[in-house]
């Protein structure tokens, strides 16, 4: 019996692969971490399913640890796993890789375009800062390797901070002196993210709950509204709205503080689609 394809989604790339499966009639399971993620995927795919009646795609949600993944692989007869989780979901990716290895299942990593290139597309200044780990106080772009490094850098500065790195690591910013006055956090408009942020002391005008993607104009408006001198983001690439953040920061005269990550080995969306087609054909 032909085994199933399982896509771990959570990014634009995961949605694109799911859309491709619907269009090509490739049977697969798409896993989102949260119910909210499942709803977004279901809503986006519904019209495509109606157009392509031959679709055999199922969307599920729920976080799984390594052991739960292995049990799920066996139960659902999974033969190919495509990891299209967020570039910063390092622990999730490690769990998926270990589960696949233990289960003898083929594993493919689908990456954002800028991560599949040895030389990621960045401005010359950004590339220079990233390579040399330079953090000059007069730079318009500062690159660090972690939230902890970002906090260390910000502790040496003055002025308001707009944080767009999500709620999961928001607690690390509480180390900043006067963080409740300086910091403005933009998080997903879902109850767990909002409640976690409030518990950490981010509330009122210092907590912005919104669903992206965000345009340059929206980022610029928030920078003006918060009077932010520093704009903290992750190195998220085109699909993560990095260009729009860079442009907004430049226009607002704010420092863009970028939390980078190592380049991964993996496939582009197009290459992953080819592998799905081959798997379905063989």
């Amino acid at each position: 019996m032909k085994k199933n394809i399982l896509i771990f989604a959570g990014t634009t790339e995961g949605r694109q692969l799911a859309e491709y499966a619907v269009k090509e009639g490739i049977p697969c399971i798409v896993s989102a971490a949260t119910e909210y993620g499942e709803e977004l995927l279901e809503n986006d795919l519904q019209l495509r399913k109606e157009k392509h009646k031959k679709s055999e795609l199922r969307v599920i949600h729920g976080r799984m640890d390594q052991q739960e993944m292995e049990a799920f692989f066996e139960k659902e007869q999974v033969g190919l796993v495509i990891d299209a989780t967020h570039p910063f979901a390092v622990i999730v990716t490690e769990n998926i890789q270990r589960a696949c290895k233990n289960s003898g299942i083929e594993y493919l990593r689908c990456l954002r375009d800028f991560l599949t290139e040895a030389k990621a597309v960045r401005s010359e200044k950004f590339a220079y800062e990233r390579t040399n780990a330079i953090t000059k106080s007069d730079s318009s772009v500062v690159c660090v390797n972690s939230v902890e490094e970002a906090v260390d850098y910000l502790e040496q500065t003055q002025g308001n901070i707009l944080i767009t790195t999500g709620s999961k690591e928001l607690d690390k910013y509480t180390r900043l002196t006067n963080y409740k006055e300086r910091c403005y956090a933009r998080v997903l408009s879902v109850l767990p993210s909002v409640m976690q942020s409030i518990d950490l002391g981010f509330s009122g005008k210092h907590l912005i709950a919104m669903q992206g993607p965000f345009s340059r104009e929206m980022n610029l408006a928030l920078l003006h509204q918060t009077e932010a001198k520093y704009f903290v983001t992750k190195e998220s690439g085109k699909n993560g709205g990095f260009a729009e953040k860079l442009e907004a920061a430049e226009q607002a005269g704010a420092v863009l503080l970028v939390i980078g990550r190592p380049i991964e080995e993996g496939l582009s969306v197009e290459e992953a689609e080819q592998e799905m087609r081959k798997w379905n054909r063989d």
Side-chain angles (χ1 to χ4, degrees):
M1 185 178 76
K2 185 73 174 179
K3 291 196 172 183
N4 290 313
I5 297 174
L6 172 61
I7 301 171
F8 283 96
T11 59
T12 301
E13 291 73 26
R15 192 193 72 241
Q16 290 172 339
L17 293 177
E19 290 173 353
Y20 180 78
V22 170
K23 179 182 175 183
E24 298 296 322
I26 299 173
C28 69
I29 304 166
V30 182
S31 175
T34 64
E35 185 176 0
Y36 179 63
E38 180 186 20
E39 288 176 4
L40 289 178
L41 273 169
E42 285 283 15
N43 292 339
D44 195 51
L45 295 173
Q46 190 57 44
L47 288 176
R48 289 169 177 79
K49 284 183 178 180
E50 291 175 3
K51 290 181 181 178
H52 304 277
K53 301 296 184 182
K54 59 183 179 178
S55 171
E56 297 180 44
L57 181 140
R58 178 159 57 99
V59 182
I60 62 169
H61 81 272
R63 301 183 190 280
M64 294 185 276
D65 61 24
Q66 180 185 330
Q67 289 71 32
E68 289 168 330
M69 289 177 189
E70 291 174 16
F72 185 83
F73 296 165
E74 183 176 0
K75 177 186 174 184
E76 297 293 339
Q77 290 295 291
V78 174
L80 172 65
V81 167
I82 301 177
D83 177 5
T85 55
H86 196 278
F88 283 84
V90 178
I91 294 175
V92 176
T93 287
E94 289 175 350
N95 282 338
I96 296 170
Q97 289 173 339
R98 285 194 293 264
C100 287
K101 183 177 181 180
N102 288 347
S103 303
I105 291 173
E106 184 176 355
Y107 169 88
L108 299 176
R109 179 67 165 130
C110 181
L111 300 173
R112 292 188 167 174
D113 289 343
F114 82 108
L115 289 174
T116 63
E117 301 172 7
K119 297 181 179 178
V121 179
R122 306 179 181 99
S123 67
E124 288 183 13
K125 188 172 188 178
F126 182 79
Y128 181 76
E129 293 247 7
R130 183 77 178 91
T131 302
N132 296 281
I134 291 174
T135 52
K136 295 181 179 177
S137 59
D138 61 347
S139 293
S140 60
V141 177
V142 171
C143 208
V144 294
N145 294 311
S146 65
V147 172
E148 289 86 353
E149 286 188 17
V151 170
D152 289 342
Y153 170 81
L154 290 167
E155 184 63 23
Q156 309 304 314
T157 66
Q158 294 182 344
N160 291 347
I161 305 160
L162 178 58
I163 302 166
T164 64
T165 53
S167 61
K168 285 186 179 180
E169 296 184 282
L170 198 56
D171 62 306
K172 295 175 182 177
Y173 294 93
T174 63
R175 291 200 293 109
L176 287 168
T177 304
N178 299 324
Y179 80 92
K180 290 184 180 180
E181 289 74 37
R182 290 188 69 191
C183 295
Y184 295 78
R186 187 172 76 190
V187 301
L188 278 175
S189 53
V190 294
L191 189 59
S193 296
V194 172
M195 293 308 299
Q196 180 182 354
S197 303
I198 291 173
D199 289 343
L200 291 171
F202 295 87
S203 60
K205 65 181 182 180
H206 289 265
L207 180 59
I208 305 160
M210 301 178 71
Q211 168 64 41
F214 300 101
S215 64
R216 175 189 61 81
E217 292 79 8
M218 177 60 77
N219 287 321
L220 183 60
L222 287 176
L223 287 168
H224 285 320
Q225 179 67 30
T226 59
E227 299 182 337
K229 300 298 183 185
Y230 298 89
F231 188 8
V232 189
T233 182
K234 291 180 178 178
E235 188 182 356
S236 52
K238 179 180 177 182
N239 288 334
F242 182 79
E244 289 79 2
K245 292 173 184 175
L246 179 61
E247 291 171 7
E250 288 176 346
Q251 192 166 342
V255 172
L256 189 68
L257 182 54
V258 184
I259 300 169
R261 63 158 296 148
I263 303 297
E264 288 186 84
E265 295 290 332
L267 306 178
S268 66
V269 171
E270 292 75 17
E271 289 169 333
E273 288 174 348
Q274 291 174 14
E275 293 298 322
M276 289 172 67
R277 190 165 58 247
K278 269 174 48 180
W279 177 269
N280 190 53
R281 187 176 62 240
D282 292 344

